[in-house]
């Protein structure tokens, strides 16, 4: 068969190309453009990797990066097992399963800045039930003054807000396991732990992969909630990367370093997401 | 190993509804120790339900399940010491084939040496030795089902092994081979095996005795030959054989039963039964294999019109019209095919009388069925 060659086919790809260009490539290249130049009004100098070097040596940003990793790590370590546990305990059918699903979905529907506000008030020692309660129990809790308390509150807020996502994903994953697996396991005299380890967990892998990636990316980019709750304080103790970036770009108008920072930020997320993906899908083809 | 006795067993999935529907209608049945049995029946007749009741995955709503005379209704499947293979392959994806096969043994606390020898023995029989180290997730559907079966077979102390249409997903060629393997395994270990299927060929090649199920009850339990020659319910006649039994609705008459003006002779037992039971639901049945087809008129033969002939390779099925009935007869390869009409006769020996769909036995010896 003779193949017809026609370059007209390129026109068919054009809409996608334009769309992707405007949604990703053009904005990203703008940032790249800023990150390699020093701009004063109308004058601009090419500075190469100078901003990158400066950003990588900035100790405040290094601190933020460490803080960010600790935060995302804690979020994953708490929310993933907790979400799985909640999903395992949820009723499988009937009216109570609907009720639990609704209750679990509620936090996901609350706007981010409202979540921050809720916890800001909830945690206050004078008028917030949570803060007042802890103090009434004899604990010296004050998230606005004590970095540990601030961290605890930010983490608790995130767990409250997002564990549902993991739980709902796992719940749907668990419901998709055919009964025959459980039946075979009981015939094989498998213990509950073995059922979890060899049936449920492997079958949850694909939903967990989505859950872990979503939670990693979201928590790594967290901005609104800690900004509303603690404003990054006390001191810089809850200042995460996105807040540091905003300060630099919008507050101090250091477009060049902020551009370099953005690119590094983006590459870190890409790298870590890729690592998670590879680690979790690794070993499928042995 | 055990004898499995189902005593006044019945099961309904909606027992507390106003009008409960019974998937298993009250029945008594015994699976003898060490036999190879098939549970045969059309889809939805309750075969799988019955199997799940035996293994304990389902709790019967009425009656008892006895293993060697001990009631096991309240014993969980894991404690019943039973193996079951399901219709679709169930493997533990993250484990290797070896670990899959070893899993039930490990759960029982078997020693390493025993696991090693048992797994390699079963892997050898099922031809899985080559893939023992492979991860179960990466097997083909055939191999996965073999692993599923292997997990049922590794335990040599089980009361029974239950198969729920295990070869549905398997290639036809391999199907035949695996069925023979199962038969060999049965001969070697003499474990009670119950094999659920809707395929009569599969049932008769695997089993010593077949239980034919219809509408939630075992209607006949016998050797493949008994089911073929003396189906004790019209459904058995219809379901077993290809094509099924011919049935003719008949009426009482002085000499026995009649079809129009034709009289079918009956023996003494049949006549007695006819007198005792006051029912007008009377049928005679004869297998297509036993219908005699003649070219020329004969004293006992009826003239029938040839409707059509199906050529099935080694034999032909001819459909003949006798009054308002269509009768199928099987012709041998070398037999001449009648053109427009033929003369057919029904040998008395193979002509069965059914009252209210149940067979009237020709001799006392068969009463027990």
């Amino acid at each position: 068969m003779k193949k017809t060659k026609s370059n007209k086919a390129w026109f068919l790809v054009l809409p996608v190309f334009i769309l992707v260009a405007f949604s990703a490539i053009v904005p990203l290249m703008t940032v790249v453009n800023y990150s390699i130049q020093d701009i004063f009004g109308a004058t601009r100098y090419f500075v190469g990797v100078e901003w990158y070097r400066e950003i990588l040596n900035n100790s405040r940003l290094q601190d933020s990066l460490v803080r960010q990793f600790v935060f995302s790590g804690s979020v994953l370590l708490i929310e993933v097992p907790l979400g799985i546990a909640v999903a395992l305990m949820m009723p499988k059918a009937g009216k109570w399963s609907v009720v639990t699903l609704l209750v679990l979905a509620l936090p996901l529907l609350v706007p981010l800045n409202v979540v921050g506000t809720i916890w800001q008030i909830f945690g206050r020692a004078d008028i917030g039930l949570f803060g007042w309660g802890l103090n009434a129990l004899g604990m010296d809790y004050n998230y606005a003054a004590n970095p540990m308390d601030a961290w605890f509150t930010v983490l608790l807020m995130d767990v409250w807000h997002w564990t549902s996502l993991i739980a709902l994903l796992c719940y749907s994953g668990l419901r998709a396991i055919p009964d025959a697996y459980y039946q075979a396991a009981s015939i094989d005299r498998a213990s509950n732990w073995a059922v979890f380890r060899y049936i449920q967990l492997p079958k949850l892998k694909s939903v967990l992969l989505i859950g872990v990636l979503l939670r990693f990316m979201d928590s790594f980019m967290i901005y609104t909630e800690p900004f509303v709750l603690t404003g990054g304080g006390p001191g810089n103790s809850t200042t995460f990367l996105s807040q540091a970036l905003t300060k630099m770009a919008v507050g101090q108008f250091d477009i060049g370093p902020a551009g370099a920072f953005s690119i590094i930020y983006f590459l870190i997320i890409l790298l870590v997401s890729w690592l998670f993906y590879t680690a979790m899908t690794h070993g499928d083809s042995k | 190993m055990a004898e499995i006795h189902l005593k006044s067993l019945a099961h309904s999935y909606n027992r507390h509804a106003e009008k409960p529907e019974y998937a298993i209608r009250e029945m008594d049945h015994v699976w003898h120790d060490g036999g190879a049995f098939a549970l045969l029946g059309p889809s939805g007749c309750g075969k799988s339900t019955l199997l799940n009741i035996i293994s304990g995955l389902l709790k019967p709503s009425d009656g008892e399940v006895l293993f060697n005379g001990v009631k096991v209704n309240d014993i969980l499947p894991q404690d019943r010491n039973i193996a079951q293979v399901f219709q679709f392959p169930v493997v533990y994806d993250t484990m290797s084939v070896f670990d899959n096969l070893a899993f039930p043994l490990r759960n029982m606390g078997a020693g390493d040496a025993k696991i090693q020898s048992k797994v390699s023995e079963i892997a050898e029989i099922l031809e899985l030795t080559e893939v023992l180290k492979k991860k179960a997730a990466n097997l083909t559907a055939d191999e996965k089902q073999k692993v599923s079966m292997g997990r049922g077979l590794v335990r040599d102390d089980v009361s029974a092994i239950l198969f729920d249409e295990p070869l549905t997903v398997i290639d036809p060629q391999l199907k035949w081979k695996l069925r023979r393997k199962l038969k060999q395994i049965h001969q070697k270990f003499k474990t009670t095996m119950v094999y659920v299927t809707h395929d009569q060929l599969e049932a008769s090649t695997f089993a010593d005795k077949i239980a034919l199920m219809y509408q939630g009850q075992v209607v006949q339990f016998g050797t493949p030959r008994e089911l073929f020659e003396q189906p004790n319910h019209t459904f058995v006649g219809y379901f077993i054989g290809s094509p099924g039994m011919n049935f003719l609705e008949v009426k009482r008459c002085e000499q026995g039963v009649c079809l129009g003006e034709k009289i079918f002779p009956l023996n003494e037992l049949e006549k007695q039964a006819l007198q005792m039971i006051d029912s007008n639901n009377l049928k005679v049945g004869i297998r297509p294999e036993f219908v005699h087809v003649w070219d020329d008129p004969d004293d006992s033969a009826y003239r029938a019109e040839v409707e059509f002939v199906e050529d099935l390779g080694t034999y032909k099925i001819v459909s003949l019209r006798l009054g308002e009935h269509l009768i199928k007869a099987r012709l041998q390869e070398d037999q001449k095919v009648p053109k427009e009409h033929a003369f057919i006769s029904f040998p008395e020996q193979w002509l069965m009388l059914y009252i209210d769909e149940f067979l009237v036995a020709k001799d006392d010896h068969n009463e027990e069925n």
Side-chain angles (χ1 to χ4, degrees):
Chain A
M1 205 178 84
K2 192 170 173 278
K3 270 190 186 165
T4 323
K5 278 192 181 166
S6 165
N7 285 327
K8 277 182 193 156
W10 288 108
F11 284 108
L12 301 176
V13 193
L14 200 62
V16 176
F17 182 76
I18 293 173
L19 212 68
V20 173
F22 273 96
S23 72
I25 300 170
V26 172
L28 197 66
M29 288 320 290
T30 316
V31 178
V32 172
N33 188 36
Y34 287 141
S35 74
I36 51 173
Q37 296 188 70
D38 197 356
I39 303 172
F40 303 99
T43 52
R44 48 183 68 195
Y45 305 99
F46 179 77
V47 296
V49 294
E50 190 55 42
W51 295 135
Y52 288 89
R53 195 172 296 142
E54 188 182 311
I55 287 299
L56 290 173
N57 287 321
N58 182 329
S59 67
R60 278 181 60 182
L61 293 182
Q62 286 169 353
D63 289 348
S64 277
L65 182 67
V66 171
R67 227 172 271 140
Q68 189 70 70
F69 271 115
V70 173
F71 179 71
S72 284
S74 320
V75 159
L76 290 177
L77 283 177
I78 298 169
E79 289 178 13
V80 172
L82 189 61
I84 295 173
V86 170
L88 286 172
M89 284 186 291
M90 280 169 71
K92 287 171 186 65
K95 134 182 120 186
W96 286 109
S97 78
V98 180
V99 174
T100 11
L101 283 174
L102 277 175
V103 171
L104 278 177
L106 273 179
L108 299 174
L109 302 176
V110 184
L112 300 179
N113 51 352
V114 176
V115 171
T117 314
I118 288 175
W119 283 83
Q120 198 213 22
I121 298 170
F122 192 44
R124 278 176 64 162
D126 50 354
I127 56 167
L129 183 63
F130 181 63
W132 179 85
L134 285 182
N135 280 293
L137 288 172
M139 273 175 259
D140 184 20
Y141 167 83
N142 184 349
Y143 69 81
N146 183 335
M148 282 305 285
D149 292 351
W151 260 87
F152 171 72
T153 316
V154 172
L155 263 178
L156 189 65
M157 172 176 67
D158 201 85
V159 168
W160 172 81
H161 195 184
W162 290 112
T163 303
S164 297
L165 179 76
I166 304 281
L168 292 179
L169 280 171
C170 290
Y171 182 74
S172 71
L174 285 173
R175 292 289 77 74
I177 301 175
D179 272 348
Y181 280 86
Y182 296 111
Q183 296 178 336
S186 71
I187 297 278
D188 289 340
R189 300 179 165 189
S191 61
N192 288 340
W193 166 250
V195 170
F196 174 70
R197 169 72 185 77
Y198 297 113
I199 297 175
Q200 291 171 324
L201 204 55
K203 296 275 173 206
L204 284 182
K205 202 163 106 177
S206 51
V207 288
L208 275 180
L209 177 64
I210 296 171
V212 166
L213 284 180
L214 278 177
R215 281 318 299 133
F216 167 71
M217 289 188 281
D218 271 356
S219 66
F220 209 78
M221 296 187 282
I222 192 166
Y223 176 76
T224 317
E225 295 129 294
F227 180 73
V228 175
L229 181 68
T230 62
N236 276 328
S237 59
T238 55
T239 302
F240 299 114
L241 283 178
S242 60
Q243 206 179 330
L245 175 63
T246 316
K247 250 184 216 164
M248 189 181 287
V250 186
Q252 302 156 4
F253 218 68
D254 286 336
I255 298 288
F261 187 0
S262 301
I263 297 293
I264 294 169
Y265 198 175
F266 168 66
L267 289 178
I268 293 174
I269 292 180
L270 203 63
L271 176 73
V272 178
S273 298
W274 177 79
L275 284 176
F276 271 124
Y277 182 83
T278 324
M280 290 181 76
T281 51
H282 174 75
D284 271 359
S285 52
K286 235 184 233 167
Chain B
M1 283 186 263
E3 174 195 90
I4 300 168
H5 185 179
L6 309 174
K7 200 170 160 191
S8 326
L9 188 81
H11 184 71
S12 167
Y13 287 102
N14 56 347
R15 196 170 174 232
H16 299 291
E18 255 177 60
K19 263 178 134 187
E21 285 163 31
Y22 277 83
I24 304 286
R25 291 184 299 142
E26 189 175 326
M27 62 178 217
D28 271 279
H29 190 78
V30 179
W31 306 104
H32 308 287
D33 193 4
F37 306 107
L39 187 55
L40 177 66
S43 304
C45 71
K47 299 176 303 239
S48 297
T49 304
L50 191 63
L51 208 66
N52 289 344
I53 287 174
I54 297 174
S55 63
L57 294 171
L58 260 181
K59 218 175 150 179
S61 51
D62 305 272
E64 294 180 354
V65 181
L66 308 168
F67 284 11
N68 282 338
V70 181
K71 185 178 164 185
V72 295
N73 282 39
D74 298 318
I75 297 180
L76 293 169
Q78 46 268 49
D79 301 324
R80 280 196 194 187
N81 200 15
I82 211 152
Q84 186 169 1
V85 180
F86 299 88
Q87 187 171 5
F88 296 101
V90 177
V91 294
Y92 303 105
D93 286 339
T94 50
M95 292 188 202
S96 68
V97 171
F98 183 93
D99 289 338
N100 258 277
L101 295 175
F103 190 60
L105 296 173
R106 285 186 181 142
N107 289 333
M108 281 164 45
D112 275 347
K114 171 158 187 191
I115 291 174
Q116 198 54 254
S117 75
K118 219 38 217 179
V119 168
S120 40
E121 180 185 3
I122 292 300
E124 189 75 30
I125 295 173
L126 293 173
E127 294 173 16
L128 286 170
T129 315
E130 304 248 306
V131 293
L132 272 180
K133 289 206 176 95
K134 230 173 159 181
K135 224 177 180 188
N138 301 318
L139 300 176
T140 63
D142 286 350
E143 289 170 330
K144 280 186 185 175
Q145 187 65 342
K146 285 205 271 183
V147 172
S148 284
M149 283 167 58
R151 280 209 320 275
L153 298 169
V154 280
R155 288 159 58 187
D156 47 12
D157 64 329
V158 285
S159 309
I161 307 179
L162 312 175
F163 298 93
D164 193 352
E165 306 196 29
L167 302 180
T168 313
V169 292
I170 306 269
D171 264 3
Q173 262 187 322
L174 193 63
K175 214 179 212 172
W176 182 79
K177 206 164 134 189
L178 279 179
R179 211 157 51 211
R180 258 194 18 189
K181 284 250 149 79
L182 281 182
K183 184 123 193 159
Q184 284 168 9
I185 292 169
H186 176 256
Q187 279 157 0
K188 192 166 169 194
F189 299 111
K190 293 282 172 223
T191 316
T192 314
M193 289 186 177
V194 181
Y195 187 104
V196 164
T197 176
H198 57 251
D199 180 344
Q200 48 173 311
L201 187 75
E202 208 166 287
S204 51
T205 47
F206 171 78
D208 310 327
K209 270 181 118 178
I210 298 174
L212 190 85
M213 249 187 123
Y214 176 58
Q215 292 185 340
Q217 269 181 324
V218 172
V219 283
Q220 188 165 7
F221 184 47
T223 62
R225 191 191 173 103
E226 281 166 359
L227 263 67
F228 183 77
E229 290 183 352
Q230 288 167 349
N232 63 8
H233 188 275
T234 51
F235 179 78
V236 182
Y238 154 80
F239 193 76
I240 301 281
S242 168
M245 204 170 196
N246 294 302
F247 288 104
L248 306 170
E249 275 174 45
V250 292
K251 290 205 164 60
R252 287 165 192 270
C253 56
E254 267 179 49
Q255 294 88 341
V257 288
C258 305
L259 176 72
E261 287 175 1
K262 301 167 187 81
I263 299 163
F264 292 115
L266 298 176
N267 73 17
E268 281 309 310
L269 275 172
E270 289 172 328
K271 279 181 191 158
Q272 274 175 24
L274 201 59
Q275 275 165 8
M276 271 157 57
I277 305 167
D278 183 31
S279 167
N280 285 322
N281 178 5
L282 305 175
K283 284 176 185 158
V284 292
I286 186 156
R287 292 261 173 218
E289 288 80 356
F290 300 140
V291 174
H292 278 188
V293 181
W294 316 87
D295 293 333
D296 303 309
D298 180 275
D299 284 350
S300 61
Y302 312 110
R303 187 191 150 106
E305 310 304 322
V306 175
E307 291 263 315
F308 55 88
V309 180
E310 284 170 84
D311 193 337
L312 296 169
T314 52
Y315 62 92
K316 294 183 178 69
I317 299 291
V318 53
S319 300
L320 300 141
R321 182 157 293 284
L322 183 71
E324 58 192 32
H325 290 279
L326 200 62
I327 292 171
K328 295 193 172 197
R330 179 169 159 161
L331 301 178
Q332 290 314 314
E333 204 175 359
D334 49 355
Q335 200 172 349
K336 210 179 117 216
V337 182
K339 286 276 152 55
E340 280 158 19
H341 62 264
F343 295 89
I344 52 176
S345 64
F346 309 122
E348 201 181 321
Q349 180 195 0
W350 302 119
L351 194 68
M352 305 288 156
L353 175 66
Y354 292 86
I355 304 179
D356 285 336
E357 313 297 326
F358 282 95
L359 176 74
V360 177
K362 281 199 184 290
D363 49 66
D364 289 326
H365 159 77
N366 281 317
E367 282 293 301
E368 62 189 72
N369 276 335

